[in-house]
Amino acid sequence: MNGANLCEAKTSSTLRGVAAAVLSNGLFSILFLYSMWMQPLSGTDVFAWRMIGMLFALLVLMSLSRSWGAARSFAAGLGMNLRNWLPLLLTTPIIASQLWLFMWAPVNGEGINVAMGYFLFPLAMMLAGRIWLKERLNRLQSCAVLLAAAGVGWQLGHSGAFSWATLWVCGTYPVYYLLRRRFGIPSLIGLTIDLALIAPCMLVYILLSSESLAVIAAHPQLAVWIVLLGINSALAMYLNLQANQMLPVVIFGMLSYLEPILLFVLSVVLLNETVSSQDWVGYGLIWSGLCLLLLQGLLYGIRQRRTNNHAV
């Protein structure tokens, strides 16, 4: 393949990757609305049904991506030693709580606060990397973290509190991801194991503690929504994995900010949550920090492109 054809192939792959990333973020954002659409089921009931649907979706994804061999090798590497399994098993409650909060928040007035948690997440990851992994922050990263801290401080100053939902999202997700990274747990395999542990518990909840079966019997259309919930989850995950493979890390990371933006807009426009004038100040500081991260991503991408061009 000559240089022109190679360049054209890379451009085509990037465009397909961008389309997959945008669509996956859109589908993840649509999941935020299912709890509203599936009323009178509670947010916890919708979460339980999503976990069961997600498990089946992940099993299909494992087959499509031919990951079963890697999963067997990973499990064999851990062996029968419980200590080897602890980093995986102890972080499963974190992802379970995050997925529950994502479905519970929209119908309980916490949609904006969850969206802000996702805005703060990349900044919290950088701070956790600095503290835990001793990674150095450059000037733009340091300024971004300081702006986010100023935004949190503003919220604490004018209201005397900071949303527990926001803190849970941005505070526990870094623990989950950094532990998984530290012990080399593959994302798709790890998430499948998580769901294999969570879904049976949710099935017990549905059978013994939830009234969702009776609610579905009274409102049969909810069964269709449950099927759509599973399909939506599967498509969002599949497209996200495809985008991750086709796009440079910088572009993929920058496009991931689309999801919290959509969550925020949906919370205000469709879920009718309100934002006070003083809240906008705190949010503005946090978003300013994110803009610095986007700027750094753009500068890094330009440097990489120049390096690749010189190498060619």
Side-chain angles (χ1 to χ4, degrees), residues 31-167:
L31 285 170
F32 206 51
L33 300 175
Y34 272 78
S35 294
M36 178 181 71
W37 291 334
M38 294 176 67
Q39 291 178 338
L41 290 179
S42 69
T44 300
D45 288 339
V46 176
F47 159 72
W49 284 106
R50 185 188 175 196
M51 293 303 94
I52 295 170
M54 274 186 69
L55 176 58
F56 285 107
L58 284 172
L59 295 178
V60 172
L61 281 178
M62 289 285 286
S63 298
L64 290 174
S65 60
R66 300 178 181 178
S67 299
W68 289 112
R72 286 190 291 269
S73 299
F74 175 74
L78 295 179
M80 300 302 292
N81 189 337
L82 180 59
R83 182 178 296 179
N84 294 337
W85 285 88
L86 281 179
L88 191 155
L89 299 177
L90 291 178
T91 49
T92 295
I94 294 178
I95 192 67
S97 66
Q98 293 286 357
L99 293 172
W100 166 79
L101 183 58
F102 191 85
M103 304 311 298
W104 176 89
V107 289
N108 287 276
E110 294 287 346
I112 287 177
N113 292 328
V114 166
M116 291 310 301
Y118 282 100
F119 277 121
L120 281 169
F121 168 63
L123 297 159
M125 280 288 288
M126 282 196 317
L127 188 58
R130 176 69 183 92
I131 295 171
W132 190 7
L133 303 178
K134 308 301 180 185
E135 295 178 349
R136 292 182 176 273
L137 301 181
N138 59 35
R139 290 183 179 179
L140 281 177
Q141 290 172 330
S142 298
C143 289
V145 171
L146 288 174
L147 282 169
V152 173
W154 174 269
Q155 293 291 100
L156 289 172
H158 88 81
S159 65
F162 199 71
S163 167
W164 66 270
T166 302
L167 290 175

Side-chain angles (χ1 to χ4, degrees), residues 3-301:
N5 289 336
L6 181 60
C7 182
E8 184 178 345
K10 286 184 177 179
T11 301
S12 175
S13 177
T14 299
L15 290 175
R16 286 186 284 113
V18 169
V22 171
L23 189 53
S24 70
N25 281 292
L27 288 172
F28 277 126
S29 302
I30 289 173
L31 285 170
F32 206 51
L33 300 175
Y34 272 78
S35 294
M36 178 181 71
W37 291 334
M38 294 176 67
Q39 291 178 338
L41 290 179
S42 69
T44 300
D45 288 339
V46 176
F47 159 72
W49 284 106
R50 185 188 175 196
M51 293 303 94
I52 295 170
M54 274 186 69
L55 176 58
F56 285 107
L58 284 172
L59 295 178
V60 172
L61 281 178
M62 289 285 286
S63 298
L64 290 174
S65 60
R66 300 178 181 178
S67 299
W68 289 112
R72 286 190 291 269
S73 299
F74 175 74
L78 295 179
M80 300 302 292
N81 189 337
L82 180 59
R83 182 178 296 179
N84 294 337
W85 285 88
L86 281 179
L88 191 155
L89 299 177
L90 291 178
T91 49
T92 295
I94 294 178
I95 192 67
S97 66
Q98 293 286 357
L99 293 172
W100 166 79
L101 183 58
F102 191 85
M103 304 311 298
W104 176 89
V107 289
N108 287 276
E110 294 287 346
I112 287 177
N113 292 328
V114 166
M116 291 310 301
Y118 282 100
F119 277 121
L120 281 169
F121 168 63
L123 297 159
M125 280 288 288
M126 282 196 317
L127 188 58
R130 176 69 183 92
I131 295 171
W132 190 7
L133 303 178
K134 308 301 180 185
E135 295 178 349
R136 292 182 176 273
L137 301 181
N138 59 35
R139 290 183 179 179
L140 281 177
Q141 290 172 330
S142 298
C143 289
V145 171
L146 288 174
L147 282 169
V152 173
W154 174 269
Q155 293 291 100
L156 289 172
H158 88 81
S159 65
F162 199 71
S163 167
W164 66 270
T166 302
L167 290 175
W168 189 258
V169 171
C170 69
T172 63
Y173 253 141
V175 175
Y176 176 83
Y177 282 109
L178 290 175
L179 277 175
R180 294 290 172 101
R181 176 180 170 182
R182 168 68 177 80
F183 291 96
I185 300 171
S187 56
L188 181 58
I189 294 172
L191 186 58
T192 302
I193 295 173
D194 287 333
L195 268 293
L197 296 171
I198 298 169
C201 297
M202 293 301 97
L203 181 60
V204 171
Y205 163 78
I206 288 171
L207 295 176
L208 300 181
S209 300
S210 171
E211 297 182 356
S212 63
L213 291 175
V215 174
I216 293 169
H219 302 83
Q221 70 275 14
L222 289 173
V224 177
W225 282 108
I226 290 173
V227 173
L228 292 174
L229 180 63
I231 294 173
N232 194 333
S233 297
L235 280 175
M237 287 184 290
Y238 177 73
L239 290 168
N240 190 261
L241 290 171
Q242 291 293 105
N244 189 33
Q245 291 176 353
M246 290 187 285
L247 290 174
V249 173
V250 172
I251 296 178
F252 181 77
M254 290 169 65
L255 287 173
S256 67
Y257 294 129
L258 179 61
E259 183 181 351
I261 292 172
L262 291 174
L263 296 183
F264 188 91
V265 171
L266 290 174
S267 296
V268 173
V269 175
L270 295 181
L271 299 175
N272 299 317
E273 295 189 27
T274 58
V275 182
S276 70
S277 57
Q278 294 197 352
D279 285 337
W280 283 115
V281 176
Y283 296 162
L285 289 168
I286 293 170
W287 292 335
S288 297
L290 285 177
C291 287
L292 289 182
L293 289 187
L294 288 171
L295 176 61
Q296 178 195 276
L298 287 171
L299 294 174
Y300 177 81

